[in-house]
Amino acid sequence: MTAVPPEIDTPDILVDRDILERNIARMAEAVAAKGLALRPHAKTHKIPEIADLQLAAGAGGLTVATIGEAEVFAERGVADLFIAYPLWVGPREAERLRRLSGTARIAVGTDSAEGALQMGASLGDAAAGIEVLVEIDSGHHRSGVAPGQAVGVARAAAEAGLSVAGVFTFPGHSYAPGMPAEAAAQEQRALAEAAERLAQAGFEVTRVSGGSTPSALLTEPGDTTEVRPGVYVFGDAQQLELGRCAPEEIALTVAATVVSRHEGSEEIPRRIVLDAGSKVLGGDRPAWTTGFGRLLDLPDARITALSEHHATVVVPDGDPLPALGERVRVVPNHVCVAVNLVDDVAVVRGGEVVGRWKVAARGRNR
Amino acid sequence: MTAVPPEIDTPDILVDRDILERNIARMAEAVAAKGLALRPHAKTHKIPEIADLQLAAGAGGLTVATIGEAEVFAERGVADLFIAYPLWVGPREAERLRRLSGTARIAVGTDSAEGALQMGASLGDAAAGIEVLVEIDSGHHRSGVAPGQAVGVARAAAEAGLSVAGVFTFPGHSYAPGMPAEAAAQEQRALAEAAERLAQAGFEVTRVSGGSTPSALLTEPGDTTEVRPGVYVFGDAQQLELGRCAPEEIALTVAATVVSRHEGSEEIPRRIVLDAGSKVLGGDRPAWTTGFGRLLDLPDARITALSEHHATVVVPDGDPLPALGERVRVVPNHVCVAVNLVDDVAVVRGGEVVGRWKVAARGRNR
């Protein structure tokens, strides 16, 4: 991608189709070479056209985070969906899962006997048509049980009439410098132990699912059967800073205009202000990141503050201070939350806008 | 507001109409008692029905952040709008401003001679119909010029054919513990100096505009003519922690369900996980806040981590650990970004859902 195309009003989200397709192909090939199945997490893009590209490149199905996201992709014709989340299923959620399982293979997560029993009771006769994967805590300490507790949860799920298929984990602690390799190793140990215990308890374990974008390519086959990376389709500033993607692999940028410009003084920093704030970039800023995102063409500049409609960019003395009205491309810290802030994105190829894609699953939080 | 009404699926945003109306009345009365005009910032709520309530309570007009937000509220019939932002106006933005000025009194911000000249050139004959306020940096060091530079910007605006009406500032540095009073004082000194210099240079200064929610009630009339608080309609966890609102003044909460529950151990915290993550709460977490939001009914619990669809809530040993499936109400850190994540909100009165309001200006980033 070169400059911001002239027909774009800022702020807007640009997706470079050539880079996107390369990212999709590269992950598909690398995962296939390991003999693993690829089940990309669609919460990153929420865009049916991108799901089509992932499936065409060899993904066997998709991962989603909510029933609402599953409904959007099932409507697109995706036949195999995993809601990788410990759902609490009441009567209304059960009715939606029942409808979904009429058109697609549906798996869901659970991490408690109570949750599994509640789900089974709400689903009634439809329970047998839903596969369940027990969520394992591999070190992130969010949801999930220790590997030693997996059998108890699986037994409750079976008792509730659900089809126990295996285990999954999300190694969220891989999102920190120096952590991807260690987190990937912990992930595989935890999954292997949980899968083994389930098998010893008599369960037929067909799915052992792991892998974030930082750890996916570090996963060795062994017990793991599939990985669920999401961010790899676009890349973002977090992945750049973790060394998990290169600047030329960034497929999504936010087009922004310089609206304020200040040479600065001893007390006040030399800076520009862009019209892209947290309402288009997202506000995520883990402590280990160096700012709220990056400028693609000014790698040493840092977004030091973000308001809803302002990004304050401090530019080092050695770099030129962009002019008022200049249009720049910003790499968000966390691309999943940026995409979720817009109704559609501009698709760009060779610097030209070739169309717009609707973010069809935007805001499908439930 | 009491429990989450049974017809609500989680996560969802609930607005308590009685508390909302009290907040609107209280700010209107307090600002009127000081002899100031109230121009609430509508980027907080983005909801036409709430704008109607603010105007009915005595607000003379609204503040917005973008041309797109102005379009939504002009369509609702709001006759006086201030786009408090240093707009960079090209031909397409000029056409939209021209149309807006046909139905409402429109003011915009500027903080550079270049920006003012560009705006005037793009607007052509329509420039005289647009009022301009020069943005002043009162200590936040985002956009805005020092008071001593205001005359240069105002002269460029006048030369470009725009109607110079006064000055404005946003004391964003009021959002930190112990800062509201100091920021309010700096704000008033900066506005007074800039207004005085403009008057000395021969400009008729009719609008001197300041005031965030933390500083609005600390503003003394003097030179300032109007204040632009936004968050006061709902309150949020930031305002709670700054001591600028009380728990019973919180009008907006996110209804969430406990989906995962862990008694913890010596190494792993005692916690619950809620189905409300950064895609409904927003990811804002300034360094001075104690977490990513608060639980209204568990004031000592803290949201220590936020993923897109998970809030990890650490609960102190002395407090009961909420049960799986229990529904709780979360106070977001920064309410403006939470509202911008949903298509509509549930309106609740006396614990009953009485309707839904569309977030009509959601995502209007440009």
Side-chain angles (χ1 to χ4, degrees):
Chain A
M1 195 186 300
T2 50
V4 174
E7 64 265 52
I8 292 292
D9 291 327
T10 65
D12 199 357
I13 288 187
L14 313 181
V15 173
D16 187 298
R17 180 149 183 169
D18 291 329
I19 301 177
L20 173 78
E21 291 188 6
R22 281 202 294 274
N23 291 347
I24 289 172
R26 191 183 315 108
M27 181 64 82
E29 284 157 23
V31 170
K34 288 175 185 277
L36 291 164
L38 176 62
R39 183 183 288 278
H41 209 314
K43 75 172 164 57
T44 297
H45 55 73
K46 296 167 172 275
I47 295 174
E49 287 84 349
I50 296 181
D52 293 348
L53 294 172
Q54 291 175 313
L55 294 167
L62 293 183
T63 306
V64 293
T66 67
I67 297 175
E69 289 182 351
E71 288 166 341
V72 169
F73 290 102
E75 196 177 314
R76 182 71 171 194
V78 180
D80 189 339
L81 291 160
F82 172 31
I83 307 173
Y85 195 85
L87 293 178
W88 185 263
V89 176
R92 291 188 294 264
E93 289 81 11
E95 178 52 34
R96 295 167 68 193
L97 286 173
R98 199 179 290 130
R99 277 202 301 269
L100 276 171
S101 67
T103 64
R105 177 189 181 200
I106 299 293
V108 303
T110 188
D111 81 345
S112 64
E114 296 93 322
L117 292 169
Q118 161 80 14
M119 182 157 29
S122 296
L123 282 164
D125 289 347
I130 304 287
E131 284 180 280
V132 165
L133 277 70
V134 178
E135 184 172 5
I136 307 301
D137 178 2
S138 56
H140 187 34
H141 305 329
R142 190 176 66 178
S143 43
V145 293
Q149 300 173 306
V151 170
V153 178
R155 283 194 175 128
E159 194 184 305
L162 297 152
S163 300
V164 176
V167 292
F168 80 107
T169 193
F170 174 66
H173 56 314
S174 63
Y175 282 77
M179 282 303 292
E182 190 176 334
Q186 289 175 348
E187 173 189 357
Q188 288 180 77
R189 276 199 304 273
L191 286 176
E193 184 188 340
E196 209 165 292
R197 285 177 182 249
L198 250 59
Q200 281 165 359
F203 289 97
E204 192 188 346
V205 178
T206 56
R207 297 174 65 174
V208 180
S209 176
S212 62
T213 289
S215 72
L217 295 180
L218 301 166
T219 302
E220 295 305 324
D223 296 84
T224 304
T225 63
E226 71 175 21
V227 289
R228 309 186 312 276
V231 172
Y232 75 96
V233 290
F234 297 136
D236 60 19
Q238 287 189 158
Q239 302 295 331
L240 270 181
E241 297 202 349
L242 288 174
R244 307 311 301 176
C245 80
E248 60 274 18
E249 292 165 358
I250 296 288
L252 182 147
T253 51
V254 175
T257 299
V258 178
V259 295
S260 187
R261 181 181 189 273
H262 304 271
E263 282 290 353
S265 64
E266 270 183 37
E267 287 156 18
I268 304 181
R270 181 170 182 257
R271 68 195 190 279
I272 53 172
V273 176
L274 304 176
D275 61 359
S278 66
K279 278 178 171 167
V280 66
L281 290 171
D284 281 26
R285 192 197 163 173
W288 54 266
T289 54
T290 65
F292 288 94
R294 292 290 192 102
L295 270 61
L296 204 51
D297 302 309
L298 267 184
D300 295 327
R302 286 295 176 276
I303 301 181
T304 58
L306 205 59
S307 316
E308 288 157 67
H309 300 278
H310 306 72
T312 302
V313 185
V314 172
V315 180
D317 285 340
D319 281 340
L321 196 61
L324 277 160
E326 194 171 322
R327 287 143 67 96
V328 300
R329 291 167 297 150
V330 185
V331 185
N333 261 356
H334 184 187
V335 76
C336 309
V337 297
V339 177
N340 188 51
L341 289 163
V342 296
D343 290 325
D344 55 14
V345 299
V347 186
V348 176
R349 187 162 239 169
E352 307 260 318
V353 178
V354 293
R356 296 193 74 93
W357 283 337
K358 187 176 177 210
V359 186
R362 183 200 56 73
R364 299 299 297 256
N365 284 318
R366 52 179 187 260
Chain B
M1 196 186 300
T2 51
V4 175
E7 65 265 52
I8 292 292
D9 291 328
T10 65
D12 199 356
I13 287 187
L14 312 180
V15 173
D16 186 299
R17 181 151 181 165
D18 291 329
I19 301 177
L20 173 77
E21 291 188 7
R22 281 201 294 274
N23 290 348
I24 288 172
R26 191 183 316 106
M27 181 63 83
E29 285 157 23
V31 169
K34 288 174 185 277
L36 292 164
L38 177 62
R39 183 182 287 280
H41 209 312
K43 75 172 162 59
T44 297
H45 55 74
K46 296 166 171 276
I47 294 174
E49 288 85 348
I50 296 182
D52 292 347
L53 294 172
Q54 291 175 314
L55 294 167
L62 294 183
T63 307
V64 294
T66 66
I67 297 175
E69 288 182 352
E71 288 165 341
V72 169
F73 291 103
E75 197 177 317
R76 182 71 172 195
V78 180
D80 189 339
L81 290 160
F82 173 31
I83 307 172
Y85 195 85
L87 293 178
W88 185 262
V89 176
R92 292 188 293 265
E93 289 81 11
E95 179 52 34
R96 294 166 69 194
L97 285 174
R98 200 179 289 132
R99 277 202 300 270
L100 275 171
S101 68
T103 65
R105 177 189 181 201
I106 299 292
V108 302
T110 189
D111 81 344
S112 65
E114 295 93 323
L117 292 170
Q118 161 81 15
M119 181 157 28
S122 296
L123 282 164
D125 289 348
I130 304 286
E131 284 179 280
V132 165
L133 277 70
V134 178
E135 184 172 6
I136 307 300
D137 178 1
S138 56
H140 186 34
H141 305 327
R142 189 176 67 179
S143 42
V145 293
Q149 300 173 306
V151 169
V153 178
R155 284 197 175 126
E159 193 183 306
L162 297 151
S163 300
V164 176
V167 292
F168 80 108
T169 192
F170 174 66
H173 55 313
S174 64
Y175 281 77
M179 282 304 290
E182 189 176 334
Q186 289 175 348
E187 173 190 357
Q188 287 181 75
R189 277 199 304 274
L191 285 176
E193 183 188 340
E196 209 163 292
R197 285 177 182 250
L198 250 59
Q200 281 164 0
F203 288 97
E204 193 188 347
V205 178
T206 57
R207 296 174 67 174
V208 180
S209 177
S212 62
T213 289
S215 72
L217 295 179
L218 301 166
T219 302
E220 296 304 326
D223 296 84
T224 304
T225 64
E226 71 174 21
V227 290
R228 308 186 315 275
V231 173
Y232 75 96
V233 290
F234 297 137
D236 60 20
Q238 285 188 161
Q239 302 294 331
L240 270 180
E241 296 202 348
L242 287 174
R244 307 310 302 175
C245 80
E248 60 273 19
E249 292 164 359
I250 297 289
L252 182 148
T253 52
V254 175
T257 299
V258 178
V259 295
S260 187
R261 181 180 188 273
H262 304 272
E263 282 291 353
S265 64
E266 270 181 38
E267 286 155 22
I268 305 182
R270 182 171 182 257
R271 69 196 189 279
I272 54 173
V273 176
L274 305 175
D275 61 359
S278 66
K279 277 179 173 167
V280 65
L281 290 171
D284 282 25
R285 191 198 163 172
W288 53 266
T289 54
T290 66
F292 288 94
R294 291 292 192 99
L295 269 62
L296 204 51
D297 302 309
L298 267 183
D300 294 327
R302 286 294 176 277
I303 302 180
T304 57
L306 205 59
S307 315
E308 287 156 69
H309 300 278
H310 306 70
T312 302
V313 186
V314 172
V315 180
D317 285 340
D319 282 340
L321 196 62
L324 278 160
E326 195 171 320
R327 288 144 67 97
V328 299
R329 290 166 299 150
V330 185
V331 185
N333 260 357
H334 184 186
V335 75
C336 309
V337 296
V339 177
N340 188 50
L341 290 163
V342 297
D343 290 324
D344 54 14
V345 300
V347 186
V348 176
R349 186 162 240 170
E352 309 258 319
V353 179
V354 294
R356 294 194 75 93
W357 283 337
K358 187 175 178 213
V359 185
R362 184 200 56 71
R364 299 299 296 255
N365 284 319
R366 53 179 185 260

